[in-house]
Amino acid sequence: MKTELLSEENLCVPCGCRCRHCLLGFDGGVPGAGYARGKDLARRLKGESPVRFTYYIGFCMDTPELLDYIAFCREMGFPGGSFLQMNGFAKRPYPELERLMGDVRDAGVELIDLTFYGLPEYHDRFAGRAGDFALLTDMLRAAGAVRLPVHISGPLTEENAGQAEGLLDLLAGYDTENIRFYLPHAKGRGWFLEPARLRKSTLDLLPHAVRDRMPRVATQTEADWLRRRDFPEPESRYLTLSVTAENIGKYEKMPAADILAELESLDDAFWSAVPSAAELARLYGDADSDRLFRYRDLVLLWTKRYVRDNKLTLHDMTDERGHFSVRE
C-alpha cells in the first residue's frame, strides 16, 4: 500500500451550524490544538515529510486568524491559500460580509464554496440554525459585489430531491461559478442520513437541470455495483494526523517520518481487521437496492456496518474526527 499524502488536521475553530450530514459530527466541542501550535507543527512537517504534505483547520473557517491562515497556506502551497469552504460562519450585517469577502479575495483566495441543503425552511432545519439560508444568500451577494467567485454545492437525498429545481430557481439571480449536487456519505452524522439516500427511481424523475449537476464520478445503484462482480481493492492511501490539545505535545517531539510510520501502522491494523470489498459485498450487499453510490462510498458504508456489527475496538481510520485515512 503506497502512501501518497500526509495531512495535518487541526479542528481548532467552532462551527455555527449542526448540519445533519456533518462528516466531523460537530457537537460544540473543539478538540483541536491551538491555532499557532498547529501552524508551527505544519511548517516543520512540510519541510520534513517524506511524502507530499498538506494542512488545514476546521470545523469552520470563521476565525480571527483567517487571513493569517490564508497567507500561511499560500506560503506553503496548501489548498487553503486559494480555496475556502465558508459554511458555518457567524451571522453578520451585510456590510461586514462584504468586507469579509473583500479581505478574503485580497488575501489571494480565488474561489469559495457555500452549501445549500434545499429551500429556506428545510435548509435551516438541516443546518441546525434558523436564518442560515438567509446568511448564505447574503454571503453570495457579498461575494458577487467584490467579484469573488463562488461554487455552490448541495447534498441530494430522498428528503430534498423535490426541492432541487426550486433551489436552482432561487439561486439563478446570483453570480455563481458553478452549482453541483452530491451524494452524502456515511461518515460522521452522515451515518444517520443513510435511510434518506437518493434512489435512481427518484433521480430519473428530476429535471435535466438537476440531473446535469450530479457528480461526474461513476455513480450507480447498489444493485448495479453488485452485478458487476468487480470489487477492486485500493492501491494507495492518504493519511491524516489529527492534532488535539492532548496529543500535540507528543507530535511536536516526533520527526515526520516517525509520525508517518505511526499512522501507517494504525491504518494497516484497522484495514487488516476488515474483510475485502468482495467479502463485504457478500455480507452486506443488497442486490435489490436502487440507492445510488460512488463505489468508494458504498464500500465505506459496508465497512461501517462491519465495524458496528463486530464491535471492533481498533482506532477507526474512517472517522475524520481523529487520525484517518482515505484509500483508493
Side-chain angles (χ1 to χ4, degrees):
M1 175 65 63
K2 182 179 181 182
T3 301
E4 301 281 357
L5 176 73
L6 172 63
S7 298
E8 178 192 336
E9 165 192 84
N10 186 7
L11 302 179
C12 60
V13 184
C15 181
C17 294
R18 300 292 190 278
C19 299
R20 285 176 57 203
H21 75 327
C22 180
L23 84 164
L24 296 171
F26 180 63
D27 57 7
V30 182
Y35 172 77
R37 288 181 74 181
K39 173 184 167 183
D40 289 345
L41 178 61
R43 184 183 295 279
R44 177 173 68 81
L45 295 182
K46 166 70 173 177
E48 292 182 8
S49 177
V51 298
R52 188 162 55 93
F53 177 82
T54 192
Y55 169 70
Y56 62 92
I57 61 173
F59 299 90
C60 177
M61 295 290 109
D62 194 3
T63 170
E65 289 89 4
L66 178 58
L67 298 183
D68 181 84
Y69 171 72
I70 296 169
F72 177 63
C73 288
R74 290 183 65 80
E75 176 191 353
M76 296 287 105
F78 301 151
S82 59
F83 171 79
L84 289 180
Q85 168 60 254
M86 294 190 73
N87 297 316
F89 272 62
K91 297 174 185 177
R92 293 163 166 80
Y94 177 80
E96 290 186 24
L97 290 175
E98 195 168 306
R99 284 195 294 274
L100 170 66
M101 296 300 177
D103 289 345
V104 164
R105 177 208 59 201
D106 292 346
V109 170
E110 300 169 2
L111 179 68
I112 67 169
D113 181 271
L114 299 173
T115 307
F116 286 83
Y117 304 124
L119 296 176
E121 183 180 349
Y122 178 87
H123 171 98
D124 286 358
R125 289 201 310 271
F126 193 100
R129 177 168 65 167
D132 192 68
F133 189 97
L135 172 63
L136 291 190
T137 51
D138 279 349
M139 294 177 80
L140 252 179
R141 183 158 60 98
V146 302
R147 300 188 181 280
L148 175 63
V150 182
H151 174 265
I152 300 296
S153 59
L156 206 61
T157 70
E158 286 290 300
E159 290 185 359
N160 70 355
Q163 303 176 40
E165 187 175 21
L167 178 62
L168 291 176
D169 290 341
L170 273 179
L171 297 177
Y174 296 92
D175 185 14
T176 63
E177 189 76 10
N178 196 5
I179 301 176
R180 303 293 301 178
F181 296 109
Y182 62 89
L183 300 174
H185 54 56
K187 291 190 177 185
R189 281 198 289 270
W191 169 263
F192 301 104
L193 201 61
E194 275 300 319
R197 178 168 288 276
L198 188 69
R199 297 180 180 276
K200 186 176 186 300
S201 53
T202 300
L203 180 64
D204 289 344
L205 295 175
L206 297 178
H208 283 290
V210 176
R211 284 183 282 154
D212 290 346
R213 289 175 168 83
M214 291 298 289
R216 295 189 177 93
V217 296
T219 303
Q220 298 186 106
T221 67
E222 184 171 6
D224 285 338
W225 285 117
L226 290 168
R227 273 192 287 272
R228 289 178 55 159
R229 298 182 182 277
D230 179 24
F231 305 103
E233 292 295 324
E235 298 178 352
S236 59
R237 61 185 167 191
Y238 305 83
L239 296 171
T240 296
L241 172 76
S242 185
V243 295
T244 67
E246 287 72 29
N247 71 22
I248 192 167
K250 167 186 171 181
Y251 294 116
E252 286 171 331
K253 299 180 179 69
M254 289 177 65
D258 290 351
I259 293 173
L260 184 63
E262 177 181 306
L263 294 177
E264 289 177 334
S265 178
L266 287 172
D267 195 53
D268 291 341
F270 175 78
W271 288 106
S272 294
V274 174
S276 68
E279 178 63 11
L280 289 170
R282 187 189 68 79
L283 291 170
Y284 294 104
D286 182 351
D288 297 320
S289 171
D290 75 336
R291 299 188 306 161
L292 292 165
F293 291 89
R294 297 187 307 168
Y295 174 72
R296 188 171 77 186
D297 292 343
L298 180 56
V299 176
L300 169 67
L301 178 62
W302 293 338
T303 300
K304 288 288 196 183
R305 288 176 175 168
Y306 183 86
V307 170
R308 175 201 62 191
D309 294 348
N310 291 274
K311 299 180 174 57
L312 294 189
T313 58
L314 293 165
H315 180 86
D316 186 351
M317 292 299 285
T318 70
D319 183 352
E320 296 196 16
R321 275 185 69 105
H323 309 322
F324 71 93
S325 68
V326 175
R327 291 185 163 208
E328 62 182 28

